[in-house]
Amino acid sequence: MVKLGVNIDHVATVRQARQGHEPDPVWAAVEAELGGADLITVHLREDRRHIQDRDVAVLRQTTGVPLNLEMAAIHEIMEIALQTVPAMVTLVPEKRTEITTEGGVDVCSQQVPLAEMVKKLHGAGIRVSAFIDADVQQVRAAKAAGFDLCELHTGPYALATGNGPIHIQHERLRAAGEEILNLGMQFNAGHGLNYHNVGAIAALPQVNELHIGHAIVSRALFIGLRAAVREMKLAIARSAG
């Protein structure tokens, strides 16, 4: 069964709109787990636009499923990761001006510094994932840098329109996923996935985890987070079964 990692960043986005205490992403994690989430994902950004340091610390102590910390490859956030020791760290690119993550980390051009960061995280017992574009060269660079997993950026697939462009993006994901498996790494995917487009990604050979946030939190506004997670789990199960 393909696992579902639920990203709860946008629960914190609503909280930060008033700079208050609610809705608390820690409560959201509990609801997501009760709905069947296999992992909880949060992105601690350098500008702290949604998830805060306190959230990571409390989630680390309270989640009953593995915590996946997304972070840019910067020293400040690295120190927080080493102090809190989540089950997994996913290294992602980050721009102050972007609304959401716009692409994968370029491991090919940053292989040496990323390898050093991976080594430090491994020393703390943390598994490390590279969030990369669906490119076999990036996959090979991630392997050389010591990453345990690769999460393929599904944004271009999610944004594609028309059968031709969708097929092209899906094939890129399939080929990159095959290379991940050939090199002995775990194959994950995420970004921009929703209840309508998740099926074809869940059906990719041996994809292990899908990381989804915005669609689930959006659906939760109408039916609650627990039910929204259950619906996504069902959509994945139908497609991967």
Side-chain angles (χ1 to χ4, degrees), residues 130-148:
F131 181 76
I132 58 173
D133 293 331
D135 182 323
V136 294
Q137 297 303 322
Q138 294 292 345
V139 173
R140 291 166 185 164
K143 176 65 175 179
F147 285 93
D148 307 289

Side-chain angles (χ1 to χ4, degrees), residues 54-67:
R54 166 266 181 193
D55 301 329
V56 177
V58 177
L59 286 166
R60 175 64 181 84
Q61 296 301 317
T62 58
T63 54
V65 295
L67 178 64

Side-chain angles (χ1 to χ4, degrees), residues 60-83:
R60 175 64 181 84
Q61 296 301 317
T62 58
T63 54
V65 295
L67 178 64
N68 171 34
L69 175 62
E70 294 183 343
M71 54 171 278
I74 57 176
H75 178 75
E76 176 196 2
I77 308 299
M78 161 73 99
E79 290 303 312
I80 292 172
L82 292 174
Q83 290 167 14

Side-chain angles (χ1 to χ4, degrees), residues 2-63:
V2 179
K3 295 178 182 178
L4 173 62
V6 177
N7 186 311
I8 56 174
D9 289 351
H10 292 304
V11 174
T13 297
V14 176
R15 176 192 61 189
Q16 296 308 112
R18 289 289 183 92
Q19 298 290 311
H21 301 288
E22 59 183 15
D24 192 330
V26 176
W27 301 351
V30 173
E31 286 296 305
E33 286 187 48
L34 290 172
D38 299 294
L39 304 92
I40 297 297
T41 294
V42 292
H43 183 173
L44 185 63
R45 283 181 171 267
E46 186 178 15
D47 62 9
R48 306 302 199 275
R49 68 177 64 173
H50 38 59
I51 294 296
Q52 305 298 301
D53 299 34
R54 166 266 181 193
D55 301 329
V56 177
V58 177
L59 286 166
R60 175 64 181 84
Q61 296 301 317
T62 58
T63 54

Side-chain angles (χ1 to χ4, degrees), residues 187-241:
F187 172 22
N188 295 347
H191 199 80
L193 297 178
N194 57 43
Y195 296 90
H196 304 291
N197 64 22
V198 71
I201 304 303
L204 286 169
Q206 297 187 58
V207 62
N208 191 273
E209 298 168 5
L210 298 180
H211 295 262
I212 306 173
H214 189 266
I216 293 174
V217 174
S218 297
R219 179 68 172 146
L221 292 174
F222 303 101
I223 66 171
L225 187 55
R226 197 181 307 187
V229 172
R230 285 175 179 159
E231 284 191 357
M232 185 61 77
K233 290 276 287 186
L234 181 59
I236 291 171
R238 284 172 175 167
S239 303

Side-chain angles (χ1 to χ4, degrees), residues 21-187:
H21 301 288
E22 59 183 15
D24 192 330
V26 176
W27 301 351
V30 173
E31 286 296 305
E33 286 187 48
L34 290 172
D38 299 294
L39 304 92
I40 297 297
T41 294
V42 292
H43 183 173
L44 185 63
R45 283 181 171 267
E46 186 178 15
D47 62 9
R48 306 302 199 275
R49 68 177 64 173
H50 38 59
I51 294 296
Q52 305 298 301
D53 299 34
R54 166 266 181 193
D55 301 329
V56 177
V58 177
L59 286 166
R60 175 64 181 84
Q61 296 301 317
T62 58
T63 54
V65 295
L67 178 64
N68 171 34
L69 175 62
E70 294 183 343
M71 54 171 278
I74 57 176
H75 178 75
E76 176 196 2
I77 308 299
M78 161 73 99
E79 290 303 312
I80 292 172
L82 292 174
Q83 290 167 14
T84 56
V85 193
M88 180 167 74
V89 160
T90 300
L91 295 180
V92 301
E94 193 173 297
K95 298 177 184 176
R96 286 292 182 96
T97 56
E98 67 186 1
I99 295 175
T100 186
T101 305
E102 296 176 348
V105 64
D106 186 358
V107 186
C108 291
S109 67
Q110 305 174 62
Q111 187 170 314
V112 172
L114 288 176
E116 294 176 357
M117 181 166 281
V118 169
K119 185 177 180 180
K120 288 181 181 179
L121 291 166
H122 279 166
I126 303 170
R127 300 178 76 210
V128 193
S129 174
F131 181 76
I132 58 173
D133 293 331
D135 182 323
V136 294
Q137 297 303 322
Q138 294 292 345
V139 173
R140 291 166 185 164
K143 176 65 175 179
F147 285 93
D148 307 289
L149 318 84
C150 287
E151 179 179 343
L152 294 184
H153 178 27
T154 53
Y157 161 81
L159 293 173
T161 57
N163 291 335
I166 291 173
H167 175 75
I168 290 170
Q169 295 301 330
H170 187 268
E171 176 58 23
R172 290 185 64 208
L173 290 163
R174 186 206 61 76
E178 184 177 272
E179 185 68 3
I180 292 169
L181 296 169
N182 288 340
L183 293 175
M185 293 184 288
Q186 181 176 306
F187 172 22

